[in-house]
Amino acid sequence: MVRSVVAPAALIADQAKTAIAEAPNPAGLDEVDESTPVEQIEAAAREYEHAADQARRTDRGERTAKKVLARLPAGTHGTWRVSALRPRGRPGPR
């Protein structure tokens, strides 16, 4: 078991003495006076949320389809040809 040798109250007291310095604005970000209108920010946020949701749905659908196809033996199934592929990093049969 490991325990701190510093009393918890001393940790808080040290933080209270530390001055908070504001970091400079990284390059490429808008300054406060040249900020983008709220309507444009909200539209961009909605568009981003929609795109991220679509990507998650696509990933889930791909995983579901992959599970079904992974169980099938290699061959022609209806109009589709299924081939068995080894996962990367796994050696083939010897």
Side-chain angles (χ1 to χ4, degrees):
M1 181 183 288
V2 178
R3 292 193 180 191
S4 174
V5 294
V6 179
L11 293 174
I12 294 171
D14 289 344
Q15 290 176 358
K17 294 177 188 175
T18 305
I20 298 174
E22 190 171 323
N25 198 5
L29 295 181
D30 292 342
E31 294 296 327
V32 174
D33 56 339
E34 59 187 45
S35 184
T36 308
V38 173
E39 296 82 17
Q40 191 175 355
I41 294 170
E42 289 175 343
R46 279 192 300 274
E47 186 177 332
Y48 177 81
E49 182 181 33
H50 179 69
D53 192 41
Q54 280 183 322
R56 282 190 295 272
R57 266 192 247 128
T58 301
D59 287 344
R60 281 188 219 116
E62 182 183 350
R63 284 192 302 268
T64 303
K66 217 176 205 182
K67 284 181 185 178
V68 171
L69 294 173
R71 293 183 197 140
L72 296 175
T76 304
H77 300 274
T79 58
W80 292 91
R81 178 180 288 164
V82 177
S83 58
L85 297 176
R86 289 190 312 268
R88 287 184 177 198
R90 293 191 181 177
R94 292 185 180 191

